[in-house]
Amino acid sequence: MPKLHPLIEKRINAYNDLTPVEFHAMWGHSSAQFLEGRMVDQKVIDTPKYWYSPESRSYLGFWNFNIQGIEETTLLTLIDDVTGELAYRSFLAQGIKQEHIGFTVNLKIVKKNNTRATRLFFEATALQVTSRKVVIECMLYDTITGMLLLQAQAIFVFMPLAAIKSAKAEPKSIEDNYELSSSQALSENALYALGQVMSFLPHNTIVHKAGWLSNDSKHLRAVVDFGDNLSGPPIYVHGGILGTVLFNASALLFTRFTGIDAKSVDASERDINYHNGVPLECQNITIDATINEASSSQVTVFAKLVRQQKLFTTLKTTFTLPIPTTKL
């Protein structure tokens, strides 16, 4: 590994009780599923190295990518993953014996600097731990420059596994009327782009079957099916996947509304709320995205995953517009 920036070394040396922990040590069955199965086995990322501080309830570690141009949505998923693992470890450290499952209910990520680095250091700390809720803060740094890239806060709630198993199962598919009025159908290429959640996932894992765009109402709608092997909590789709699906829709709407490629601007803030879990292999989920606010400096898009009256996930994204150049 390249030499660490002195600021990173200083943050690591502030701990005196760091213990190495295995990647996905807390996940059990899920460890063979989404992230490990897709990223590590396909050599997109080296096996992450994690350390745990029992005294400060912190996780430290490194993500070393083997490819250039890491998608920010990949980092979103990794942050959701590592904060979830720390939340579960902190929750169990209270001595709770009944088996529980943790769910992300909110993940807020603020971009501090550009994230083109491929060697990253994270520091996550449990700020609050109760018998039901855990709040985690996570900071992501460039290992070489010491620059702070992303700052995140995640809130998790825990429910007894027995309550999850006894809950009424979500039907796999529901038919509904999806089409927007006064809209144009999205092309096959646009639908394909919406489904590219991460480059290392099979192309048919998440399928956008149809979509529409209304310029008059600044509104995008699409219908998506989720496959298997996407789990975060057992039987549910990983929260980072859901956030990425919503971000793709938000980025497409932003591009169509402004005429600016969303990849060329900063998504300076993302605020994700998880209301209900999306079961694996769930079909006919509706994505709705609308322009909430627009000014000369930024555009805010609100997107949600719903099925009929049931709300699954929402995402509010703030895009910062480039400053116009003027000639003297």
Side-chain angles (χ1 to χ4, degrees):
M1 176 181 293
K3 183 176 176 60
L4 301 178
H5 191 276
L7 291 177
I8 303 298
E9 289 186 335
K10 182 177 180 180
R11 300 196 76 87
I12 295 172
N13 292 336
Y15 298 86
N16 55 21
D17 63 339
L18 291 176
T19 303
V21 291
E22 293 183 9
F23 175 55
H24 277 165
M26 307 302 296
W27 285 154
H29 169 71
S30 293
S31 67
Q33 294 283 313
F34 168 57
L35 278 177
E36 189 169 355
R38 297 302 182 193
M39 297 190 74
V40 176
D41 291 351
Q42 297 186 17
K43 311 303 180 186
V44 177
I45 186 173
D46 296 339
T47 302
K49 296 176 175 60
Y50 291 0
W51 289 265
Y52 175 61
S53 167
E55 181 179 352
S56 63
R57 300 184 303 201
S58 296
Y59 257 17
L60 281 69
F62 297 93
W63 297 327
N64 297 321
F65 289 89
N66 301 311
I67 58 176
Q68 296 291 325
I70 301 304
E71 300 150 321
E72 286 190 13
T73 48
T74 298
L75 300 181
L76 180 152
T77 300
L78 281 166
I79 288 172
D80 184 60
D81 192 70
V82 74
T83 54
E85 186 153 342
L86 175 58
Y88 192 38
R89 186 180 289 274
S90 302
F91 179 79
L92 293 180
Q94 300 177 99
I96 297 175
K97 299 189 181 301
Q98 185 180 13
E99 192 170 4
H100 286 67
I101 293 179
F103 294 90
T104 316
V105 295
N106 177 259
L107 176 60
K108 185 173 184 179
I109 299 178
V110 178
K111 185 174 181 179
K112 297 297 186 178
N113 286 287
N114 289 330
T115 55
R116 300 294 296 177
T118 59
R119 299 191 177 276
L120 306 173
F121 167 75
F122 70 83
E123 184 177 14
T125 301
L127 303 179
Q128 178 184 351
V129 181
T130 71
S131 60
R132 178 171 168 78
K133 183 173 79 170
V134 178
V135 179
I136 306 288
E137 181 182 63
C138 184
M139 316 289 274
L140 185 65
Y141 299 87
D142 182 335
T143 301
I144 308 304
T145 67
M147 184 179 293
L148 176 63
L149 304 175
L150 298 174
Q151 181 177 358
Q153 181 171 288
I155 301 174
F156 299 84
V157 296
F158 288 82
M159 299 178 62
L161 180 59
I164 301 296
K165 290 181 176 179
S166 63
K168 183 179 179 181
E170 180 75 20
K172 294 292 185 183
S173 179
I174 293 178
E175 295 299 327
D176 202 351
N177 181 25
Y178 304 103
E179 187 171 352
L180 281 173
S181 59
S182 303
S183 64
Q184 293 181 332
L186 293 177
S187 67
E188 290 187 7
N189 287 339
L191 292 173
Y192 180 82
L194 286 176
Q196 300 313 293
V197 175
M198 292 174 190
S199 58
F200 52 84
L201 284 175
H203 296 322
N204 61 348
T205 304
I206 300 166
V207 177
H208 291 70
K209 299 190 293 188
W212 302 268
L213 179 69
S214 171
N215 290 323
D216 293 339
S217 60
K218 305 170 187 174
H219 190 174
L220 180 147
R221 178 174 294 164
V223 184
V224 60
D225 292 348
F226 291 96
D228 59 3
N229 201 15
L230 294 172
S231 64
I235 78 173
Y236 291 105
V237 177
H238 194 289
I241 287 286
L242 302 178
T244 304
V245 164
L246 289 176
F247 179 77
N248 283 356
S250 300
L252 177 58
L253 179 59
F254 169 85
T255 296
R256 296 293 180 90
F257 174 66
T258 63
I260 302 171
D261 186 349
K263 294 180 180 179
S264 68
V265 301
D266 283 336
S268 55
E269 188 171 311
R270 297 180 177 95
D271 194 351
I272 311 170
N273 287 284
Y274 299 92
H275 300 267
N276 290 283
V278 175
L280 297 172
E281 300 183 90
C282 203
Q283 301 177 358
N284 294 344
I285 303 291
T286 301
I287 302 170
D288 263 318
T290 55
I291 302 291
N292 254 21
E293 301 174 16
S295 69
S296 60
S297 60
Q298 63 183 32
V299 173
T300 301
V301 181
F302 181 79
K304 60 184 178 181
L305 281 170
V306 296
R307 191 157 70 173
Q308 293 184 338
Q309 302 303 313
K310 188 164 189 176
L311 178 63
F312 293 105
T313 309
T314 64
L315 169 66
K316 181 180 178 182
T317 306
T318 301
F319 294 93
T320 301
L321 297 174
I323 299 174
T325 57
T326 57
K327 294 183 179 181
L328 297 178

